[in-house]
Amino acid sequence: MKRAFQSLMLGGALTAAAVMGAVAPAAAQTVQPGVQMMQPPPSLNLSAYGEVKAAPDMATISFGVQTEAATAQEAMRDNATRMTQVMAALRRAGIAERDVQTSGLNLSAQYDYQQNEPPKLRGYQAVNRVTVTINDLTKVGTTADAVVAAGVNQIDGISFGLKDPSAAEDQARRQAVQALQAKAQLYAQALNVQLAGIRNLSEGGGYAPQPPQPMF
């Protein structure tokens, strides 16, 4: 099975209210004798979308080491032994210590359950979860193989992303603004009105890395 590196998609959804110059003067509403309140000019609410695809330049692997034993001390000791082997394997694979982060360590009692009987303690389970950042995509496969061989028995997933998505985000914003301006001009021409300017502008969406899809 081969895996394809799917491009990252970045979406910036921009919503703007463009003020249209009214064909007739703005209507005035009398509130009290001698006092007039001007109605706000009509507005056009539109949204546009910008999307940029960029090849990933980094990956993260999340995995865990799970051990079980009759006592909590044994479960923790076995887990620590395996984690030492895993950390050594990561160093041999060229992964820097700063790119390895422990995301959680959990110890829990394990019980067997049978109908009409109280739970029976079976032992204890220790789980240590780690997230590794890989800055060289050519090392993703070898790193995964290395940690599994060293004792990792849970792979939570591999995701791909950008070290710095700001350039792609800005490009998506520019595309969204251009699309918004074009749409506003189209509506203005169809309605035979003139655009007076932008009343407000808001942004939604953002950087959204996607995992690779398997290809057979």
Side-chain angles (χ1 to χ4, degrees), residues 53-76:
K53 294 182 179 181
D57 57 7
M58 55 85 68
T60 57
I61 301 179
S62 299
F63 58 79
V65 173
Q66 176 180 307
T67 55
E68 289 191 19
T71 67
Q73 183 178 5
E74 290 175 334
M76 292 294 290

Side-chain angles (χ1 to χ4, degrees), residues 6 27 53-54 92 97 109 114 122 128 141 143 164 175 188 198 205 216:
Q6 187 172 359
K53 294 182 179 181
R92 290 193 297 270
E97 185 176 351
Q114 294 185 1
R122 183 178 72 246
N128 199 335
T143 301
D164 183 7
Q175 290 185 5
I198 299 296
F216 298 91

Side-chain angles (χ1 to χ4, degrees), residues 58-65 83 86-87 90 95-105 127-135 143-144 147 152 154-160:
M58 55 85 68
T60 57
I61 301 179
S62 299
F63 58 79
V65 173
M83 281 303 303
V86 170
M87 297 301 291
L90 287 172
I95 304 300
E97 185 176 351
R98 65 178 180 273
D99 293 327
V100 181
Q101 180 179 3
T102 299
S103 53
L105 176 61
V127 180
N128 199 335
R129 314 208 80 80
V130 175
T131 299
V132 176
T133 300
I134 302 175
N135 295 305
T143 301
V147 296
V152 166
Q154 293 181 344
I155 296 290
D156 299 327
I158 302 175
S159 61
F160 298 87

